[in-house]
Structure formats: C-alpha cells, structure tokens
C-alpha cells in the first residue's frame, strides 16, 4: 500500500495471540513505527480474501499513525477512533 511506504512504516507478519471470538487483525506500534498483521487471521482466510484483508488492516493502522502524527484529530473515545479507522480503511479499499 502506497501510504505505508510514504509514511515509512514497517510491516511485519506476526502471531498476535488468541483473542477468542474477536481476533486481533492487526496492531500499530508507534515505536517503529510498525504495523503487525496477525498471521492467525491470515491463515484462516481463503487465498482470494488475503489481499482485501491486508489492504483493510494496513489502512486501518495508517489511520492510527496519522492520528499520532497529528494529521487528523485523535477522537477522545477509543470506540470512536476505531470506528473512524474502519471507515477510513473502507474508503481506501473502495479506492484501490
């Protein structure tokens, strides 16, 4: 994904653990900055679903990176931040 390269964010594939019914799809680590994609989720997908998963996950986490940089407002409630990141990812997928 172009934005990931432009922001200089590293991407890793990692086992992010067992989160029961709600699998953690990806995570953003500002220290890298790094986005980690959960291999447990990827392994459960059909091959034709992987590209969409990766695009959505990367876009979602780039939203959080942009929050950290101050490019976009960091909403006070976590649920609102996650919803905004999901909306951003959906728009990025539609544009790809």
């Amino acid at each position: 994904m172009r934005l990931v390269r432009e922001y200089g964010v590293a991407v890793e594939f990692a086992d992010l653990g067992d989160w029961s019914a709600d699998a953690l799809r990806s995570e953003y680590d500002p220290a890298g900055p790094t986005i980690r994609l959960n291999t447990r989720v990827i392994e459960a997908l059909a091959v034709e679903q992987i590209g969409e998963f990766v695009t959505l996950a990367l876009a979602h986490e780039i939203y959080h990176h942009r929050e950290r940089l101050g490019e976009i407002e960091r909403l006070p409630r976590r649920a609102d931040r996650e919803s905004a990141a999901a909306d951003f990812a959906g728009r990025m997928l539609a544009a790809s």
Side-chain angles (χ1 to χ4, degrees):
M1 168 180 253
R2 179 183 51 80
L3 280 177
V4 174
R5 286 188 304 274
E6 288 176 3
Y7 281 108
V9 176
V11 176
E12 297 176 353
F13 293 86
D15 184 337
L16 300 179
D18 183 11
W19 290 79
S20 67
D22 295 324
L24 178 64
R25 299 166 56 92
S26 57
E27 67 179 11
Y28 168 66
D29 179 358
T34 304
I35 295 171
R36 291 184 191 86
L37 303 173
N38 193 347
T39 55
R40 286 187 188 214
V41 173
I42 293 170
E43 290 168 355
L45 296 174
V47 170
E48 60 272 7
Q49 296 174 306
I50 294 172
E52 182 174 311
F53 167 81
V54 169
T55 298
L56 285 170
L58 291 176
H60 181 101
E61 301 305 342
I62 281 296
Y63 179 91
H64 293 307
H65 182 65
R66 293 177 67 217
E67 283 178 315
R68 183 168 188 278
L69 294 176
E71 290 183 2
I72 53 177
E73 176 187 4
R74 186 174 190 274
L75 302 171
R77 292 186 40 221
R78 183 179 192 278
D80 292 339
R81 291 192 304 273
E82 292 303 316
S83 179
D87 290 345
F88 177 78
R91 290 192 306 275
M92 295 300 295
L93 179 64
S96 67

